[in-house]
Amino acid sequence: MVNGIVKKLPEDLVFLILLTFPVKSLMRFKCISKAWSILIQSTTFINRHVNRKTNTKDEFILFKRGIKDEQEEFKNILSFFSGDDDVLNPLFPDIDVTYMTSKCNCTFNPLIGPCDGLIALTDTIITILLNPATRNFRLLPPSPFGCPKGYHRSVEGVGFGLDTISNYYKVVRISEVSCEEDDGYPGPKDSKIDVCDLSTDSWRELDHAELPLIYWVPCSGMLYNEMVHWFATTNIMVILCFDMSTEMFRNMKMPETCSRLTHELYYGLVILCESFTLIGYSNPISSIDPVKDKMHIWVMIEYGVSESWIMKYTIKPLSIESPLAVWKKNILLLQSRSGLLISYDLNSGEAKELNLHGFPDSLSVIVYKECLTSIPKGSEYSTKVQKF
């Protein structure tokens, strides 16, 4: 019956109708006919589906938290949610990620992305690429680059995105290498840049001019406008930008009142109403005057033009550890200093605890829309794509 109806419809009309359906339905529709299966898995359809018009009802949340088990070792837990009326509804059971390198620490295990519905979970060695909509994932090979004896190499920033010129995905890592001095303190630092091409799973080191030192905070490594962004320091605080296609770096100025180096303030990057946005908040361990303890939200009206920063919101103290993401255009997701996930409505000023928590400073959130994008398979020697 269904096949008969399908055959009577023009192919262009079938294409447009299918674009309106969510991923879960499309996965089922592949069983209706061979023609539909071929169409839904075609590059043309997948790309059109990625770029379809969506609204806040199409937003989903991937939530990562660290917890301690009975052996006092850390575990990373992934939770997947849809949201209706500001209520988070689980999509399927939580996942215990067993691939992370360290069981003694869970702070530097950020989620990065999304890019075309793909998200990466990283630590200093391991990178896991996943598509929450299709429930596929793959472990990427670790970078082969180390450092000579007597030196220390630490990963300070990670990014993930699409090279739109070559049309393949990349992971970029910024490491700092320093020699170990006799007094136990690190010597002068030098930046090293590793890039992994996911079409072949091959790592390479980039030649680059001298870079500012990465200033690591939880809410950075953000992909926007085909660029990855981190905070960095010269004689002032700047935003370091990396173009995923040209592999060139440049510095972006922060608002003048945010650029001075201070231990009292931290910063985070989010996308607010499709605009590049900077959040300034108090260092969780600073002894700042409670009267001055406010969160400031700056929006860049014209991306890349530092003169276009405007202060959009000033928020009363919330005692947060860090901002995490923006959901439904006006809800700021934050982690508290005790490890609770908090929502703050920028329109009403209402703050809520969302009954989700983890070890303090271990939370990470990605707001994404479902896509059919395939996990890159790499080379014939690469690890295989798996289901979770």
Side-chain angles (χ1 to χ4, degrees):
M1 177 70 176
V2 175
N3 273 329
I5 296 173
V6 169
K7 288 178 181 178
K8 293 178 182 178
L9 294 175
E11 187 175 329
D12 289 350
L13 181 57
V14 171
F15 188 100
L16 293 174
I17 292 173
L18 290 177
L19 284 176
T20 66
F21 283 91
V23 170
K24 188 175 181 179
S25 298
L26 292 171
M27 300 292 279
R28 293 200 306 264
F29 291 167
K30 290 194 296 182
C31 302
I32 289 178
S33 71
K34 185 177 181 180
W36 276 31
S37 179
I38 293 171
L39 173 62
I40 291 169
Q41 295 179 86
S42 68
T43 302
T44 301
F45 183 84
I46 290 172
N47 289 341
R48 282 287 297 275
H49 193 262
V50 165
N51 296 304
R52 73 196 186 281
K53 190 174 182 179
T54 58
N55 55 43
T56 55
K57 292 182 179 179
D58 299 304
E59 289 184 348
F60 295 83
I61 287 176
L62 173 55
F63 172 62
K64 192 274 307 181
R65 68 189 187 278
I67 61 173
K68 271 190 174 182
D69 61 18
E70 295 175 353
Q71 286 76 40
E72 291 293 300
E73 294 182 336
F74 283 106
K75 299 197 299 184
N76 288 276
I77 306 297
L78 296 183
S79 304
F80 304 80
F81 299 99
S82 62
D84 298 310
D85 299 323
D86 301 342
V87 177
L88 297 181
N89 304 305
L91 293 171
F92 37 81
D94 291 350
I95 294 172
D96 178 3
V97 184
T98 59
Y99 299 100
M100 297 291 98
T101 309
S102 174
K103 294 183 178 180
C104 302
N105 189 296
C106 61
T107 300
F108 190 83
N109 295 150
L111 293 168
I112 51 176
C115 181
D116 299 340
L118 301 181
I119 298 168
L121 171 63
T122 70
D123 63 17
T124 55
I125 297 175
I126 296 296
T127 302
I128 302 171
L129 190 63
L130 64 145
N131 182 332
T134 62
R135 301 192 65 175
N136 289 332
F137 78 96
R138 186 166 74 85
L139 268 68
L140 304 184
S143 170
F145 302 111
C147 58
K149 186 176 180 180
Y151 286 76
H152 175 71
R153 184 169 185 148
S154 62
V155 178
E156 301 295 326
V158 184
F160 166 67
L162 177 68
D163 178 338
T164 56
I165 296 175
S166 301
N167 200 33
Y168 56 73
Y169 297 96
K170 295 176 179 175
V171 171
V172 57
R173 300 193 329 161
I174 301 180
S175 303
E176 289 179 357
V177 178
S178 57
C179 60
E180 298 173 358
E181 302 286 3
D182 293 336
D183 58 8
Y185 289 93
K189 296 180 178 179
D190 184 30
S191 296
K192 297 290 184 182
I193 314 300
D194 307 342
V195 174
C196 183
D197 167 7
L198 301 193
S199 66
T200 59
D201 275 1
S202 57
W203 284 90
R204 53 192 166 81
E205 279 192 321
L206 289 186
D207 293 327
H208 59 88
E210 185 176 352
L211 295 177
L213 296 177
I214 295 293
Y215 189 89
W216 190 86
V217 288
C219 199
S220 63
M222 186 181 77
L223 181 68
Y224 182 85
N225 203 35
E226 301 175 14
M227 309 271 284
V228 180
H229 305 79
W230 303 272
F231 293 100
T233 58
T234 54
N235 57 330
I236 59 172
M237 185 81 75
V238 297
I239 298 171
L240 179 64
C241 313
F242 178 76
D243 189 309
M244 295 300 289
S245 298
T246 65
E247 299 184 350
M248 300 292 291
F249 286 93
R250 68 181 178 87
N251 293 341
M252 180 189 294
K253 289 184 179 179
M254 294 168 60
E256 188 172 347
T257 57
C258 303
S259 61
R260 69 184 183 89
L261 298 178
T262 173
H263 294 295
E264 293 184 347
L265 294 176
Y266 274 2
Y267 298 98
L269 294 172
V270 295
I271 299 171
L272 176 62
C273 295
E274 301 183 5
S275 294
F276 188 79
T277 301
L278 170 72
I279 299 178
Y281 60 101
S282 299
N283 181 340
I285 62 173
S286 69
S287 55
I288 192 168
D289 183 347
V291 176
K292 299 179 181 178
D293 187 9
K294 292 181 173 62
M295 186 187 304
H296 300 290
I297 300 180
W298 296 78
V299 173
M300 184 172 262
I301 301 301
E302 185 177 351
Y303 176 73
V305 179
S306 57
E307 292 78 15
S308 69
W309 285 112
I310 63 164
M311 188 187 291
K312 188 83 172 179
Y313 300 97
T314 298
I315 299 173
K316 63 183 180 180
L318 290 173
S319 298
I320 69 161
E321 182 70 29
S322 73
L324 297 172
V326 173
W327 177 41
K328 295 191 173 183
K329 292 188 177 181
N330 65 294
I331 297 176
L332 191 59
L333 297 177
L334 314 154
Q335 64 174 322
S336 74
R337 294 172 187 176
S338 62
L340 281 169
L341 182 64
I342 297 173
S343 70
Y344 180 87
D345 191 315
L346 292 169
N347 293 337
S348 68
E350 182 182 10
K352 293 180 182 178
E353 293 182 357
L354 296 180
N355 200 30
L356 292 167
H357 60 88
F359 196 81
D361 203 21
S362 74
L363 309 191
S364 188
V365 168
I366 293 288
V367 176
Y368 68 96
K369 67 178 184 179
E370 291 192 324
C371 298
L372 287 161
T373 311
S374 299
I375 302 283
K377 295 181 179 179
S379 71
E380 60 181 308
Y381 306 107
S382 299
T383 55
K384 302 302 180 185
V385 175
Q386 304 175 62
K387 283 281 187 183
F388 60 81

